[in-house]
Each structure stands twice: as C-alpha cells, then as structure tokens.
C-alpha cells in the first residue's frame, strides 16, 4: 500500500463517474476513502468493489462535507489528495504521482493540479476555464477546508505550495448532459452565492486565504475578491460578463 498519500472522494449517486475515477488511480496503490451522503444507486457497492473505505455524512454543503472528511477519515499517510467523483487522473498526472516522494518535497505543504473541464464531451478551453489550478494535494493535518465559503469551495494550506502545470485532472459531469439537471444545479448554486452576498452585506467579509497578487493561485483569487467586494454591487455583473466573455475569449 502506498505509504505517501491517500485519496478522499465525496460521493452522492455517482455510479456514472466513480468507476472511471477509481480506475484512473488504481495503479497508484493508495488507500481510498469515500465519504458518501446517502447514495441510492450503486455508488457504495462500486466503492466497496474497489476496496475503498466508506464513511457516511449527511450533506449540508461542500465546504462542511470536506471539513468532515478531513477530520474523520483515518488517514495514515503524510499527504492526502482530495478529488471530486466526476474527475479523472490523466496518465501524465499519474506518472508524477508515481514518482512522488515525500523526502523530495520536504519544504512543501500543498500542490496545485491543473484542471481541464469538459461539457458534453468538449473541452472548455476559454472563458477563464483553462488553465485552472486547484489545490488538491496537501499534507494531512495541515491543509483544511475553507468553511467561510458556501459555494466557492477551496482548501487552505499555510506555508509553501507548488503548481503542477503539466499532468491534468479531467473533469466532466455526465449528469449535466441533461440540460434540466444543469439548470437546476446552477439555480441552487446561484441561491448559495446570493445568500453569501447578503451575509457579506451584514458582516465584514473574511477570507481564510491571505490576499496576495504574486502569491499562490488561491492567494491571487483572494486578492481579486478583496477588490471585487469593494465595487458597486450593480457594476459587477457587467464587469464579470465582459471579462469572461470578451477578454478571456469566452465567446469561443
């Protein structure tokens, strides 16, 4: 069994996605923990067939679910990799993980993976979707879930991090091929964002990450958010639309 890192995966009715993810990491011979929130399909059975350890926790939101996972999964390795069920580890990223040794990264506390997002079988390259760096691998007990966010979830790691630009996570939610599912999902997400916006109007906005333009990808996002929150609320949609669709070539 891999003594360097373990995987944690969140699931809820992921029988479409879970087999391809587990197959993509099977050669890494690492312990897999699955935190399920009450699947009614074959998700749990699939996890058991692949030798994963199953935990259950009722779902509230993604930040709190990850917080539960990191506090309750009996991880025994120095590193942990947290993945979504609709992601796949590419062969290039797998090679990096196969060569990964803790002693070679003694100064690091976290590693960002580069994600490619797909919709209906097509890579979404423009509009700010690529490159897109996600903090997915970090030292267990040091990295934690940012529970100050209801929607825009991320992990936080104090100390030095590194960005792996080559080797990718591929992400495609096959459920979104059903457009009604896609619309319902984004309606739920927009409600969460609106709720958080109201809370920020009532209380000072706090960020778990230290804002820094020249910092890590998450610290850079925090820097932009600090400015964003100071802009007039009704100006933001026009700026956001123009940035994503025009300057980041989302029109393509």
């Amino acid at each position: 069994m891999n003594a360097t890192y373990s995987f944690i995966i969140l699931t809820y009715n992921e029988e479409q996605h879970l087999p391809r993810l587990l197959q993509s990491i099977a050669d890494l011979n690492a312990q897999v923990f699955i935190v399920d929130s009450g699947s009614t399909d074959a998700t749990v059975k699939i996890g058991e067939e692949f030798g994963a350890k199953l935990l259950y926790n009722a779902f509230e939101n993604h930040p709190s679910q990850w917080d539960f996972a990191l506090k309750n999964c009996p991880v025994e390795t120095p590193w942990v990799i947290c993945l979504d069920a609709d992601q796949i580890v590419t062969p290039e990223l797998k090679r990096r993980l196969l060569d990964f040794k803790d002693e070679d990264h003694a100064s690091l506390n976290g590693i960002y993976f580069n994600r490619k997002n797909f919709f209906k079988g097509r890579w979404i390259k423009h509009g700010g979707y690529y490159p897109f760096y996600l903090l997915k691998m970090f030292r267990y007990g040091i990295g934690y879930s940012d529970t100050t966010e209801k929607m825009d979830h991320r992990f936080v790691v104090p100390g030095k991090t590194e960005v792996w630009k080559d080797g990718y996570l591929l992400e495609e939610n096959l459920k979104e091929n059903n457009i009604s599912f896609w619309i319902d999902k984004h309606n739920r997400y927009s409600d969460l964002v609106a709720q958080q916006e109201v809370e920020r109007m009532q209380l000072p906005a706090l960020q778990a990450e230290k804002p820094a333009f020249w910092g890590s990808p998450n610290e850079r996002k925090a820097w932009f958010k600090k400015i964003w929150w100071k802009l007039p609320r009704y100006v933001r949609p026009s700026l956001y639309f123009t940035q994503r669709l025009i300057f980041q070539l989302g029109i393509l």
Side-chain angles (χ1 to χ4, degrees):
M1 184 64 70
N2 193 315
T4 306
Y5 50 79
S6 304
F7 288 92
I8 300 178
I9 303 166
L10 301 187
T11 60
Y12 176 71
N13 289 343
E14 297 292 353
E15 65 180 7
Q16 281 183 285
H17 301 127
L18 193 57
R20 65 181 190 181
L21 169 56
L22 295 177
Q23 287 166 3
S24 75
I25 62 176
D27 295 343
L28 297 171
N29 197 33
Q31 178 65 67
V32 177
F33 298 95
I34 292 177
V35 179
D36 190 70
S37 52
S39 293
T40 56
D41 63 2
T43 296
V44 171
K45 181 182 177 183
I46 293 168
E48 291 172 342
E49 289 174 349
F50 275 87
K53 292 188 177 179
L54 278 294
L55 290 81
Y56 168 80
N57 188 57
F59 188 85
E60 179 183 352
N61 56 45
H62 281 97
S64 62
Q65 192 76 344
W66 277 117
D67 183 61
F68 171 88
L70 290 171
K71 289 177 179 177
N72 291 275
C73 290
V75 175
E76 297 179 352
T77 53
W79 291 79
V80 65
I81 302 173
C82 298
L83 300 179
D84 298 331
D86 59 358
Q87 294 173 333
I88 304 172
V89 172
T90 60
E92 296 81 8
L93 178 55
K94 187 190 297 184
R95 278 196 291 272
R96 296 206 68 158
L97 292 173
L98 284 169
D99 295 336
F100 185 86
K101 293 181 176 60
D102 186 27
E103 57 268 25
D104 295 338
H105 300 82
S107 64
L108 292 182
N109 282 342
I111 298 173
Y112 287 81
F113 295 167
N114 198 356
R115 183 198 70 180
K116 285 185 176 181
N117 189 268
F118 289 76
F119 180 68
K120 284 184 171 287
R122 300 188 66 179
W123 175 26
I124 308 299
K125 186 177 181 180
H126 303 289
Y129 277 89
Y130 178 84
F132 197 89
Y133 303 113
L134 296 170
L135 182 61
K136 286 293 189 179
M137 183 174 183
F138 46 85
R139 291 192 178 275
Y140 182 68
I142 294 179
Y144 60 93
S145 175
D146 180 3
T147 55
T148 65
E149 293 280 356
K150 284 184 169 56
M151 175 57 224
D152 191 16
H153 172 256
R154 63 180 51 85
F155 298 106
V156 179
V157 174
K160 187 178 178 182
T161 60
E162 182 176 278
V163 176
W164 287 358
K165 295 185 178 182
D166 57 327
Y168 300 96
L169 281 178
L170 304 185
E171 182 174 319
E172 181 177 14
N173 189 333
L174 298 175
K175 299 175 186 177
E176 293 179 353
N177 290 343
N178 181 339
I179 295 300
S180 63
F181 175 91
W182 189 91
I183 293 172
D184 290 342
K185 172 182 172 181
H186 284 273
N187 280 335
R188 292 196 306 272
Y189 285 2
S190 62
D191 287 347
L192 288 171
V193 174
Q195 181 183 345
Q196 186 127 26
E197 184 69 19
V198 171
E199 291 176 1
R200 287 200 178 106
M201 292 165 59
Q202 298 168 344
L203 296 170
L206 300 176
Q207 295 196 79
E209 289 278 7
K210 172 183 135 183
F213 182 81
W214 299 111
S216 69
N218 280 358
E219 289 172 340
R220 186 181 176 92
K221 284 181 184 177
W223 186 86
F224 278 110
K225 277 191 172 184
K226 189 175 179 181
I227 296 175
W228 182 257
W229 289 335
K230 294 178 181 178
L231 295 174
R233 193 162 63 253
Y234 299 106
V235 171
R236 292 186 221 167
S238 298
L239 290 177
Y240 188 76
F241 181 86
T242 303
Q243 170 70 12
R244 295 292 292 266
L245 207 67
I246 306 301
F247 293 108
Q248 293 182 310
L249 301 179
I251 191 69
L252 300 177

